[in-house]
Amino acid sequence: MNNVSVITMFFLSGFNETISHRFVLFFLSLLCYCIICLVNVSLIVIIILDANLHEPMYILLCVFCMNALYGTAGFFPRFLWDLLSDVHLISYYGCLIQNQVIYSFVCGELSILAVMAYDRYVAICQPLKYHSIMSKQRVIRFACFSWFTTFCIVAVNVFLTSRLKLCSPYISRLFCVNWSIVQLACFPAQTTINSIVANITISIYCLHGVFIVWSYMYIIQTCVKSIENRAKFMQTCVPHLVSLFTFVVAILTDLINMRLGSKELPRTLQNFIAIEFLVIPPIMNPLIYGFKLTKIQKRIYSVAQRRVENSVDGVFYGSVHMICKLVIIGLIHNEDESTYRQEVDQLFHCCSQNHLEPTVEMTVNLRRDPPITILTIEYLPWITSDS
């Protein structure tokens, strides 16, 4: 009873092994966080801005990337600050908030993967019902519900931890983890309810994993019977399975190390295992989906290749680097360019199919409020209208 005191700060003793290399670790961690932000934000922006990607699978992928940004934001800024600090302290409530963010990120990731597995199951096993079952509104509701319930479940665990009387302020980790805080409790009898709720939470998300495996068993059975379904499986399901595998391996490794791990393991190795799930999946997932999904590949390529500048004053005026030599003369009415946009896009496609090199910078100058709306495209002799 004499050791019971009010804990207002925690010492993160996991940083003791990083002091001699902290500047190198700071640079590498900052680089890693910048890459995570870049690849995830890029994929989110591409999906939001391209109307062709407003489909259930891509909406879920967008939510997936948002969750990665949410989880890493709960770890990296504080981690980078601690690497440059001489004393590694975190406030009691700051520790609980970090605990909430990181755990809800982990559980939310598994929930979103389960919804993605169901989406692929309906798309491949019940294609005729896909658009009626997986509408955009329903997918958004699924994603919001899965993340909100995850947040609430984790909040219950954090609340139960907050009621414990603690006898030590030392956490042997790089960041706050619920189980590490529970182990500091003065009275083990008080942690019984924490263990029960924690095991229930683990069971719930193990059931998510069982559901994912069940979904893919049916998907694989269906794909064996159809060449078309096999191609769809390789294109859309393989990235999902790779994401699931890397995430589950990272989480299980950390969970086993935290609950059953030996204290004889080098502290550096324990630290790497602890942050693995916050580094590898957030970087790998956008890259895997970006390289594998055809629509995203095309969108990235088009953004990189086509740069159009728009001016002000309601006059469409741009300087466009075309891939063939051409002249476009067009008039628009009330700033409506829809009548000629398809023809311009067809011309781009025509030039790219003929592998034409850049020859001239073309200027499109369109006057406002003409009496008629017309577009004339003068092709060079080696460009035919059939292309």
Side-chain angles (χ1 to χ4, degrees):
M1 292 291 290
N2 294 331
N3 292 330
V4 178
S5 59
V6 178
I7 303 294
T8 59
M9 303 291 290
F10 287 110
F11 294 87
L12 300 175
S13 58
F15 284 94
N16 293 342
E17 298 295 324
T18 67
I19 294 175
S20 57
H21 306 96
R22 61 180 180 173
F23 293 109
V24 175
L25 290 173
F26 175 84
F27 173 76
L28 293 175
S29 300
L30 180 61
L31 178 63
C32 180
Y33 187 45
C34 289
I35 293 172
I36 289 172
C37 291
L38 176 64
V39 294
N40 282 280
V41 169
S42 298
L43 206 55
I44 291 169
V45 170
I46 286 172
I47 293 171
I48 290 175
L49 295 182
D50 192 342
N52 294 324
L53 298 178
H54 294 177
E55 300 176 2
M57 181 175 67
Y58 299 103
I59 292 173
L60 291 173
L61 178 55
C62 185
V63 175
F64 201 51
C65 293
M66 289 178 179
N67 189 59
L69 291 175
Y70 164 74
T72 52
F75 169 71
F76 275 99
R78 178 74 206 188
F79 178 67
L80 292 169
W81 175 269
D82 284 329
L83 283 174
L84 297 181
S85 300
D86 294 324
V87 180
H88 310 113
L89 290 171
I90 185 171
S91 68
Y92 177 81
Y93 290 107
C95 189
L96 293 180
I97 291 172
Q98 186 180 58
N99 191 9
Q100 171 73 26
V101 171
I102 292 177
Y103 269 75
S104 57
F105 153 70
V106 171
C107 297
E109 195 97 338
L110 200 54
S111 293
I112 297 167
L113 285 170
V115 178
M116 293 173 78
Y118 180 68
D119 172 74
R120 291 301 85 206
Y121 163 76
V122 177
I124 294 176
C125 299
Q126 301 182 36
L128 298 179
K129 299 180 180 179
Y130 180 72
H131 291 291
S132 60
I133 296 176
M134 299 299 289
S135 63
K136 294 178 186 178
Q137 294 77 13
R138 186 169 295 173
V139 167
I140 293 172
R141 284 199 294 268
F142 279 159
C144 293
F145 176 77
S146 62
W147 195 88
F148 179 74
T149 53
T150 292
F151 190 88
C152 292
I153 290 172
V154 173
V156 171
N157 283 269
V158 174
F159 171 74
L160 292 175
T161 300
S162 68
R163 55 182 262 285
L164 298 176
K165 301 296 183 180
L166 307 179
C167 285
S168 173
Y170 293 95
I171 297 177
S172 59
R173 304 273 293 192
L174 295 172
F175 56 93
C176 294
V177 177
N178 198 58
W179 184 249
S180 297
I181 301 174
V182 171
Q183 288 179 315
L184 302 178
C186 298
F187 310 106
Q190 286 187 337
T191 66
T192 303
I193 185 65
N194 294 73
S195 299
I196 293 172
V197 174
N199 289 329
I200 291 173
T201 302
I202 292 172
S203 300
I204 290 172
Y205 290 98
C206 284
L207 290 176
H208 282 59
V210 172
F211 174 77
I212 294 172
V213 172
W214 173 83
S215 299
Y216 274 97
M217 286 176 59
Y218 277 91
I219 290 172
I220 292 171
Q221 286 179 1
T222 304
C223 290
V224 169
K225 305 172 184 177
S226 169
I227 296 177
E228 181 182 353
N229 283 337
R230 267 180 273 173
K232 188 184 292 186
F233 176 86
M234 293 300 296
Q235 183 182 7
T236 62
C237 296
V238 169
H240 181 223
L241 287 175
V242 173
S243 298
L244 177 65
F245 177 78
T246 55
F247 179 73
V248 170
V249 168
I251 289 298
L252 286 179
T253 304
D254 181 51
L255 191 62
I256 292 171
N257 177 64
M258 184 168 54
R259 296 283 181 121
L260 306 174
S262 172
K263 294 183 179 180
E264 296 178 0
L265 286 176
R267 170 54 62 181
T268 304
L269 179 59
Q270 292 186 44
N271 287 341
F272 175 76
I273 292 173
I275 67 172
E276 184 183 3
F277 70 95
L278 288 161
V279 176
I280 297 177
I283 291 179
M284 283 188 60
N285 292 339
L287 296 178
I288 291 170
Y289 283 101
F291 284 118
K292 189 64 180 174
L293 298 181
T294 306
K295 285 188 177 182
I296 293 180
Q297 284 181 1
K298 290 180 179 178
R299 181 58 180 165
I300 294 174
Y301 180 77
S302 66
V303 168
Q305 293 295 319
R306 299 176 58 183
R307 294 166 18 181
V308 180
E309 298 176 2
N310 294 328
S311 70
V312 294
D313 296 331
V315 179
F316 183 90
Y317 180 85
S319 179
V320 185
H321 293 278
M322 299 292 289
I323 54 176
C324 59
K325 190 172 183 178
L326 55 92
V327 177
I328 296 179
I329 303 170
L331 303 175
I332 63 173
H333 186 67
N334 292 331
E335 303 178 19
D336 180 14
E337 62 182 76
S338 59
T339 54
Y340 67 83
R341 175 51 51 197
Q342 184 176 1
E343 296 185 53
V344 174
D345 290 340
Q346 288 175 352
L347 188 58
F348 270 94
H349 181 67
C350 164
C351 296
S352 63
Q353 287 209 331
N354 284 277
H355 305 290
L356 302 177
E357 297 295 328
T359 58
V360 71
E361 180 178 300
M362 182 274 294
T363 298
V364 180
N365 192 354
L366 298 157
R367 295 189 296 275
R368 174 189 277 177
D369 296 329
I372 58 175
T373 302
I374 188 171
L375 172 69
T376 302
I377 300 179
E378 298 178 9
Y379 299 92
L380 289 184
W382 33 264
I383 302 179
T384 63
S385 59
D386 294 333
S387 300

